[in-house]
Amino acid sequence: MLLTHWKDGLLLGAALVLGSWGVADLGQPAQASAGTKIVQRGPNHPNGEGLFVNFTGTYALYNKPGDLPGAKVVRHKRQLLKLNASTKSQQTFMFCQETRMNHGTVYYRVRTQDHTISGWIYAGKITDSSRGLIYREDGQPAGGVTAFFLSKPAKLTSEEATGFYRFKTPTDYAPGGRSPFAGPTWVRSLGVKSTANTPVIAQAHATYIVTSAVTLTREGTRWLHIVSLTGADEAYDGYVQASALRRLSAVKPAKGITVKVMAADAAQPLKTLVVPYVANNKGRGLPGMDLGALSAYAGLPVGYTVGTRVGAGFGGQDVSQVLRGATVTLHVKSTDD
């Protein structure tokens, strides 16, 4: 049989063979007895840090490993299935610890992100234990939990990929996600600190491009990953709810910076765009706008990328202090190269 390892909400490796019958005895946990004891306890992960679970509805949640004397049900199987249907990410359960008993059964300690419910659930019986969610060779969960993802990738719209944005209300904080946050609330799997509704007090002039998007699995809300084109506001790069942004109107070349997107095999620019000018070097006593972050621009012509080769992006051009009305070249390459 097979054991599959999950960490940080992502599949880290292929299935690992654990002897001829590594995962076995997938029935109910053994009856509690005086001889039952814990023989292996995994590391404690109090913050969950990205490994989230849903329930299969096969096993209940206990106040201690169910094989131990005195184990009591915290939530019945039907109650756990109802929790699966929650529309709040903070009610998602995260993996905290793994424990193996002397007869091979494994239990996981899980807890909601808001710390309101916690307990132990049967995970299967194996002859060799390692941190991770246990799956049978047919891909089905061996015990009471299965991996859950708090967010899923979403495709950028053409407007999002090509536009330049600012916050609608940069200094206001309104519960519910209308103002920018440090990241999607409660979603650690995106690699941002977001355990509370932390408002981002951004400058009104801060200008951003959008590099990617996700949809929260439970809430269904759309979040965009933004990168600042104004160097003084780099600290606010991250995920914000799409409704927090407003797209800037097009500007004329004289009032912005013209960027010609060039490929080595093309005589003419593949694309020309005008970036709204923001004098973001004033605080450092320098003129101009720093355009370095534009290398992350998602609105490149289809089939081309900035790449990492020598001369890619802005090449040898100094784009740290570009003046209003100037023209620079962004070098790209074909994705087929």
Side-chain angles (χ1 to χ4, degrees), residues 90-112:
Q90 62 264 41
Q91 293 179 350
T92 300
F93 282 76
M94 53 190 180
F95 171 87
C96 294
Q97 191 178 37
E98 175 188 299
T99 293
R100 183 161 64 99
M101 318 307 291
N102 57 334
H103 47 69
T105 56
V106 175
Y107 281 83
Y108 295 145
R109 184 166 68 85
V110 296
R111 183 183 66 203
T112 53

PDB file of all heavy atoms in Angstrom, residues 90-112:
ATOM      1  N   GLN A  90     -11.773  30.400   8.529  1.00  0.00           N
ATOM      2  CA  GLN A  90     -11.289  30.238   9.897  1.00  0.00           C
ATOM      3  C   GLN A  90     -11.842  28.992  10.569  1.00  0.00           C
ATOM      4  O   GLN A  90     -11.344  28.547  11.601  1.00  0.00           O
ATOM      5  CB  GLN A  90     -11.591  31.473  10.750  1.00  0.00           C
ATOM      6  CG  GLN A  90     -13.070  31.794  10.915  1.00  0.00           C
ATOM      7  CD  GLN A  90     -13.517  32.838   9.918  1.00  0.00           C
ATOM      8  OE1 GLN A  90     -13.118  32.802   8.752  1.00  0.00           O
ATOM      9  NE2 GLN A  90     -14.329  33.773  10.378  1.00  0.00           N
ATOM     10  N   GLN A  91     -12.889  28.392   9.981  1.00  0.00           N
ATOM     11  CA  GLN A  91     -13.447  27.166  10.534  1.00  0.00           C
ATOM     12  C   GLN A  91     -12.850  25.919   9.880  1.00  0.00           C
ATOM     13  O   GLN A  91     -13.282  24.802  10.158  1.00  0.00           O
ATOM     14  CB  GLN A  91     -14.970  27.172  10.376  1.00  0.00           C
ATOM     15  CG  GLN A  91     -15.639  28.242  11.242  1.00  0.00           C
ATOM     16  CD  GLN A  91     -17.145  28.285  11.090  1.00  0.00           C
ATOM     17  OE1 GLN A  91     -17.710  27.650  10.202  1.00  0.00           O
ATOM     18  NE2 GLN A  91     -17.801  29.044  11.954  1.00  0.00           N
ATOM     19  N   THR A  92     -11.845  26.123   9.047  1.00  0.00           N
ATOM     20  CA  THR A  92     -11.137  24.996   8.443  1.00  0.00           C
ATOM     21  C   THR A  92     -10.196  24.381   9.470  1.00  0.00           C
ATOM     22  O   THR A  92      -9.517  25.080  10.219  1.00  0.00           O
ATOM     23  CB  THR A  92     -10.328  25.461   7.227  1.00  0.00           C
ATOM     24  OG1 THR A  92     -11.205  26.031   6.270  1.00  0.00           O
ATOM     25  CG2 THR A  92      -9.592  24.286   6.586  1.00  0.00           C
ATOM     26  N   PHE A  93     -10.125  23.064   9.481  1.00  0.00           N
ATOM     27  CA  PHE A  93      -9.247  22.364  10.420  1.00  0.00           C
ATOM     28  C   PHE A  93      -7.837  22.262   9.857  1.00  0.00           C
ATOM     29  O   PHE A  93      -7.641  22.023   8.667  1.00  0.00           O
ATOM     30  CB  PHE A  93      -9.787  20.964  10.712  1.00  0.00           C
ATOM     31  CG  PHE A  93     -10.943  20.950  11.675  1.00  0.00           C
ATOM     32  CD1 PHE A  93     -12.209  21.328  11.262  1.00  0.00           C
ATOM     33  CD2 PHE A  93     -10.761  20.588  13.000  1.00  0.00           C
ATOM     34  CE1 PHE A  93     -13.287  21.334  12.145  1.00  0.00           C
ATOM     35  CE2 PHE A  93     -11.822  20.590  13.891  1.00  0.00           C
ATOM     36  CZ  PHE A  93     -13.090  20.962  13.469  1.00  0.00           C
ATOM     37  N   MET A  94      -6.855  22.437  10.735  1.00  0.00           N
ATOM     38  CA  MET A  94      -5.459  22.326  10.345  1.00  0.00           C
ATOM     39  C   MET A  94      -4.797  21.211  11.143  1.00  0.00           C
ATOM     40  O   MET A  94      -5.137  20.948  12.292  1.00  0.00           O
ATOM     41  CB  MET A  94      -4.734  23.646  10.577  1.00  0.00           C
ATOM     42  CG  MET A  94      -4.876  24.219  11.963  1.00  0.00           C
ATOM     43  SD  MET A  94      -4.217  25.911  12.025  1.00  0.00           S
ATOM     44  CE  MET A  94      -4.515  26.295  13.757  1.00  0.00           C
ATOM     45  N   PHE A  95      -3.860  20.555  10.508  1.00  0.00           N
ATOM     46  CA  PHE A  95      -3.106  19.461  11.130  1.00  0.00           C
ATOM     47  C   PHE A  95      -2.179  20.028  12.195  1.00  0.00           C
ATOM     48  O   PHE A  95      -1.463  20.999  11.957  1.00  0.00           O
ATOM     49  CB  PHE A  95      -2.311  18.732  10.057  1.00  0.00           C
ATOM     50  CG  PHE A  95      -1.321  17.731  10.591  1.00  0.00           C
ATOM     51  CD1 PHE A  95      -1.707  16.431  10.859  1.00  0.00           C
ATOM     52  CD2 PHE A  95      -0.002  18.092  10.818  1.00  0.00           C
ATOM     53  CE1 PHE A  95      -0.793  15.501  11.343  1.00  0.00           C
ATOM     54  CE2 PHE A  95       0.926  17.177  11.295  1.00  0.00           C
ATOM     55  CZ  PHE A  95       0.520  15.880  11.563  1.00  0.00           C
ATOM     56  N   CYS A  96      -2.170  19.418  13.387  1.00  0.00           N
ATOM     57  CA  CYS A  96      -1.294  19.883  14.472  1.00  0.00           C
ATOM     58  C   CYS A  96      -0.267  18.845  14.920  1.00  0.00           C
ATOM     59  O   CYS A  96       0.854  19.198  15.260  1.00  0.00           O
ATOM     60  CB  CYS A  96      -2.130  20.293  15.682  1.00  0.00           C
ATOM     61  SG  CYS A  96      -3.183  21.728  15.403  1.00  0.00           S
ATOM     62  N   GLN A  97      -0.664  17.554  14.936  1.00  0.00           N
ATOM     63  CA  GLN A  97       0.261  16.550  15.441  1.00  0.00           C
ATOM     64  C   GLN A  97      -0.186  15.156  15.019  1.00  0.00           C
ATOM     65  O   GLN A  97      -1.369  14.919  14.777  1.00  0.00           O
ATOM     66  CB  GLN A  97       0.331  16.624  16.973  1.00  0.00           C
ATOM     67  CG  GLN A  97       1.452  15.795  17.584  1.00  0.00           C
ATOM     68  CD  GLN A  97       1.513  15.950  19.095  1.00  0.00           C
ATOM     69  OE1 GLN A  97       0.487  16.048  19.762  1.00  0.00           O
ATOM     70  NE2 GLN A  97       2.713  15.991  19.646  1.00  0.00           N
ATOM     71  N   GLU A  98       0.779  14.233  14.919  1.00  0.00           N
ATOM     72  CA  GLU A  98       0.506  12.831  14.606  1.00  0.00           C
ATOM     73  C   GLU A  98       0.968  11.962  15.768  1.00  0.00           C
ATOM     74  O   GLU A  98       2.036  12.192  16.346  1.00  0.00           O
ATOM     75  CB  GLU A  98       1.249  12.423  13.333  1.00  0.00           C
ATOM     76  CG  GLU A  98       1.128  10.956  12.982  1.00  0.00           C
ATOM     77  CD  GLU A  98       2.051  10.584  11.828  1.00  0.00           C
ATOM     78  OE1 GLU A  98       1.892  11.131  10.727  1.00  0.00           O
ATOM     79  OE2 GLU A  98       2.945   9.753  12.053  1.00  0.00           O
ATOM     80  N   THR A  99       0.140  10.959  16.123  1.00  0.00           N
ATOM     81  CA  THR A  99       0.504  10.038  17.195  1.00  0.00           C
ATOM     82  C   THR A  99       0.224   8.605  16.755  1.00  0.00           C
ATOM     83  O   THR A  99      -0.813   8.336  16.141  1.00  0.00           O
ATOM     84  CB  THR A  99      -0.301  10.337  18.481  1.00  0.00           C
ATOM     85  OG1 THR A  99       0.106  11.611  18.983  1.00  0.00           O
ATOM     86  CG2 THR A  99      -0.049   9.292  19.548  1.00  0.00           C
ATOM     87  N   ARG A 100       1.167   7.693  17.038  1.00  0.00           N
ATOM     88  CA  ARG A 100       0.977   6.282  16.707  1.00  0.00           C
ATOM     89  C   ARG A 100       0.889   5.465  17.991  1.00  0.00           C
ATOM     90  O   ARG A 100       1.652   5.657  18.933  1.00  0.00           O
ATOM     91  CB  ARG A 100       2.127   5.771  15.829  1.00  0.00           C
ATOM     92  CG  ARG A 100       1.940   4.316  15.398  1.00  0.00           C
ATOM     93  CD  ARG A 100       2.816   3.998  14.193  1.00  0.00           C
ATOM     94  NE  ARG A 100       4.231   4.098  14.475  1.00  0.00           N
ATOM     95  CZ  ARG A 100       5.015   3.057  14.750  1.00  0.00           C
ATOM     96  NH1 ARG A 100       4.494   1.831  14.806  1.00  0.00           N
ATOM     97  NH2 ARG A 100       6.297   3.207  14.955  1.00  0.00           N
ATOM     98  N   MET A 101      -0.063   4.516  17.997  1.00  0.00           N
ATOM     99  CA  MET A 101      -0.279   3.666  19.156  1.00  0.00           C
ATOM    100  C   MET A 101       0.552   2.384  19.025  1.00  0.00           C
ATOM    101  O   MET A 101       1.084   2.063  17.964  1.00  0.00           O
ATOM    102  CB  MET A 101      -1.763   3.330  19.304  1.00  0.00           C
ATOM    103  CG  MET A 101      -2.705   4.517  19.061  1.00  0.00           C
ATOM    104  SD  MET A 101      -2.309   5.963  20.057  1.00  0.00           S
ATOM    105  CE  MET A 101      -2.763   5.351  21.663  1.00  0.00           C
ATOM    106  N   ASN A 102       0.637   1.595  20.115  1.00  0.00           N
ATOM    107  CA  ASN A 102       1.490   0.412  20.116  1.00  0.00           C
ATOM    108  C   ASN A 102       0.996  -0.687  19.175  1.00  0.00           C
ATOM    109  O   ASN A 102       1.752  -1.574  18.814  1.00  0.00           O
ATOM    110  CB  ASN A 102       1.647  -0.138  21.539  1.00  0.00           C
ATOM    111  CG  ASN A 102       0.317  -0.469  22.191  1.00  0.00           C
ATOM    112  OD1 ASN A 102      -0.712   0.110  21.842  1.00  0.00           O
ATOM    113  ND2 ASN A 102       0.335  -1.379  23.149  1.00  0.00           N
ATOM    114  N   HIS A 103      -0.273  -0.649  18.756  1.00  0.00           N
ATOM    115  CA  HIS A 103      -0.743  -1.645  17.790  1.00  0.00           C
ATOM    116  C   HIS A 103      -0.840  -1.075  16.381  1.00  0.00           C
ATOM    117  O   HIS A 103      -1.490  -1.644  15.511  1.00  0.00           O
ATOM    118  CB  HIS A 103      -2.088  -2.244  18.230  1.00  0.00           C
ATOM    119  CG  HIS A 103      -3.104  -1.222  18.653  1.00  0.00           C
ATOM    120  ND1 HIS A 103      -3.698  -0.365  17.784  1.00  0.00           N
ATOM    121  CD2 HIS A 103      -3.591  -0.934  19.886  1.00  0.00           C
ATOM    122  CE1 HIS A 103      -4.544   0.421  18.436  1.00  0.00           C
ATOM    123  NE2 HIS A 103      -4.494   0.103  19.723  1.00  0.00           N
ATOM    124  N   GLY A 104      -0.206   0.096  16.139  1.00  0.00           N
ATOM    125  CA  GLY A 104      -0.055   0.608  14.778  1.00  0.00           C
ATOM    126  C   GLY A 104      -1.054   1.637  14.324  1.00  0.00           C
ATOM    127  O   GLY A 104      -0.853   2.238  13.267  1.00  0.00           O
ATOM    128  N   THR A 105      -2.138   1.861  15.063  1.00  0.00           N
ATOM    129  CA  THR A 105      -3.101   2.866  14.615  1.00  0.00           C
ATOM    130  C   THR A 105      -2.518   4.261  14.781  1.00  0.00           C
ATOM    131  O   THR A 105      -1.755   4.532  15.706  1.00  0.00           O
ATOM    132  CB  THR A 105      -4.428   2.766  15.390  1.00  0.00           C
ATOM    133  OG1 THR A 105      -4.167   2.874  16.775  1.00  0.00           O
ATOM    134  CG2 THR A 105      -5.137   1.470  15.077  1.00  0.00           C
ATOM    135  N   VAL A 106      -2.874   5.128  13.857  1.00  0.00           N
ATOM    136  CA  VAL A 106      -2.369   6.497  13.849  1.00  0.00           C
ATOM    137  C   VAL A 106      -3.528   7.469  14.039  1.00  0.00           C
ATOM    138  O   VAL A 106      -4.601   7.292  13.454  1.00  0.00           O
ATOM    139  CB  VAL A 106      -1.641   6.811  12.523  1.00  0.00           C
ATOM    140  CG1 VAL A 106      -1.221   8.280  12.463  1.00  0.00           C
ATOM    141  CG2 VAL A 106      -0.421   5.909  12.370  1.00  0.00           C
ATOM    142  N   TYR A 107      -3.304   8.482  14.851  1.00  0.00           N
ATOM    143  CA  TYR A 107      -4.291   9.542  15.052  1.00  0.00           C
ATOM    144  C   TYR A 107      -3.657  10.889  14.741  1.00  0.00           C
ATOM    145  O   TYR A 107      -2.460  11.103  14.987  1.00  0.00           O
ATOM    146  CB  TYR A 107      -4.796   9.549  16.508  1.00  0.00           C
ATOM    147  CG  TYR A 107      -5.825   8.486  16.797  1.00  0.00           C
ATOM    148  CD1 TYR A 107      -5.429   7.193  17.103  1.00  0.00           C
ATOM    149  CD2 TYR A 107      -7.181   8.771  16.741  1.00  0.00           C
ATOM    150  CE1 TYR A 107      -6.363   6.196  17.363  1.00  0.00           C
ATOM    151  CE2 TYR A 107      -8.129   7.791  16.999  1.00  0.00           C
ATOM    152  CZ  TYR A 107      -7.716   6.512  17.300  1.00  0.00           C
ATOM    153  OH  TYR A 107      -8.649   5.531  17.536  1.00  0.00           O
ATOM    154  N   TYR A 108      -4.483  11.799  14.204  1.00  0.00           N
ATOM    155  CA  TYR A 108      -4.041  13.173  13.976  1.00  0.00           C
ATOM    156  C   TYR A 108      -4.776  14.094  14.928  1.00  0.00           C
ATOM    157  O   TYR A 108      -5.994  13.965  15.113  1.00  0.00           O
ATOM    158  CB  TYR A 108      -4.351  13.630  12.548  1.00  0.00           C
ATOM    159  CG  TYR A 108      -3.625  12.895  11.464  1.00  0.00           C
ATOM    160  CD1 TYR A 108      -4.246  12.649  10.240  1.00  0.00           C
ATOM    161  CD2 TYR A 108      -2.313  12.457  11.627  1.00  0.00           C
ATOM    162  CE1 TYR A 108      -3.585  11.981   9.228  1.00  0.00           C
ATOM    163  CE2 TYR A 108      -1.647  11.784  10.612  1.00  0.00           C
ATOM    164  CZ  TYR A 108      -2.292  11.556   9.417  1.00  0.00           C
ATOM    165  OH  TYR A 108      -1.640  10.895   8.422  1.00  0.00           O
ATOM    166  N   ARG A 109      -4.034  15.017  15.519  1.00  0.00           N
ATOM    167  CA  ARG A 109      -4.692  16.077  16.274  1.00  0.00           C
ATOM    168  C   ARG A 109      -4.935  17.236  15.321  1.00  0.00           C
ATOM    169  O   ARG A 109      -4.009  17.717  14.655  1.00  0.00           O
ATOM    170  CB  ARG A 109      -3.829  16.545  17.455  1.00  0.00           C
ATOM    171  CG  ARG A 109      -4.523  17.593  18.326  1.00  0.00           C
ATOM    172  CD  ARG A 109      -3.788  17.774  19.644  1.00  0.00           C
ATOM    173  NE  ARG A 109      -2.481  18.388  19.460  1.00  0.00           N
ATOM    174  CZ  ARG A 109      -2.274  19.706  19.386  1.00  0.00           C
ATOM    175  NH1 ARG A 109      -3.296  20.548  19.454  1.00  0.00           N
ATOM    176  NH2 ARG A 109      -1.055  20.167  19.236  1.00  0.00           N
ATOM    177  N   VAL A 110      -6.164  17.692  15.250  1.00  0.00           N
ATOM    178  CA  VAL A 110      -6.540  18.768  14.336  1.00  0.00           C
ATOM    179  C   VAL A 110      -7.271  19.852  15.125  1.00  0.00           C
ATOM    180  O   VAL A 110      -7.820  19.597  16.200  1.00  0.00           O
ATOM    181  CB  VAL A 110      -7.433  18.249  13.184  1.00  0.00           C
ATOM    182  CG1 VAL A 110      -6.673  17.249  12.319  1.00  0.00           C
ATOM    183  CG2 VAL A 110      -8.720  17.632  13.723  1.00  0.00           C
ATOM    184  N   ARG A 111      -7.281  21.049  14.563  1.00  0.00           N
ATOM    185  CA  ARG A 111      -7.918  22.170  15.241  1.00  0.00           C
ATOM    186  C   ARG A 111      -8.343  23.215  14.221  1.00  0.00           C
ATOM    187  O   ARG A 111      -7.670  23.422  13.212  1.00  0.00           O
ATOM    188  CB  ARG A 111      -6.930  22.795  16.232  1.00  0.00           C
ATOM    189  CG  ARG A 111      -7.500  23.935  17.066  1.00  0.00           C
ATOM    190  CD  ARG A 111      -6.428  24.520  17.958  1.00  0.00           C
ATOM    191  NE  ARG A 111      -5.387  25.152  17.160  1.00  0.00           N
ATOM    192  CZ  ARG A 111      -4.143  25.354  17.597  1.00  0.00           C
ATOM    193  NH1 ARG A 111      -3.777  24.924  18.783  1.00  0.00           N
ATOM    194  NH2 ARG A 111      -3.255  25.949  16.821  1.00  0.00           N
ATOM    195  N   THR A 112      -9.475  23.864  14.469  1.00  0.00           N
ATOM    196  CA  THR A 112      -9.897  24.939  13.578  1.00  0.00           C
ATOM    197  C   THR A 112      -8.939  26.110  13.717  1.00  0.00           C
ATOM    198  O   THR A 112      -8.315  26.311  14.760  1.00  0.00           O
ATOM    199  CB  THR A 112     -11.316  25.417  13.903  1.00  0.00           C
ATOM    200  OG1 THR A 112     -11.392  25.753  15.300  1.00  0.00           O
ATOM    201  CG2 THR A 112     -12.353  24.367  13.569  1.00  0.00           C
TER     202      THR A 112
END
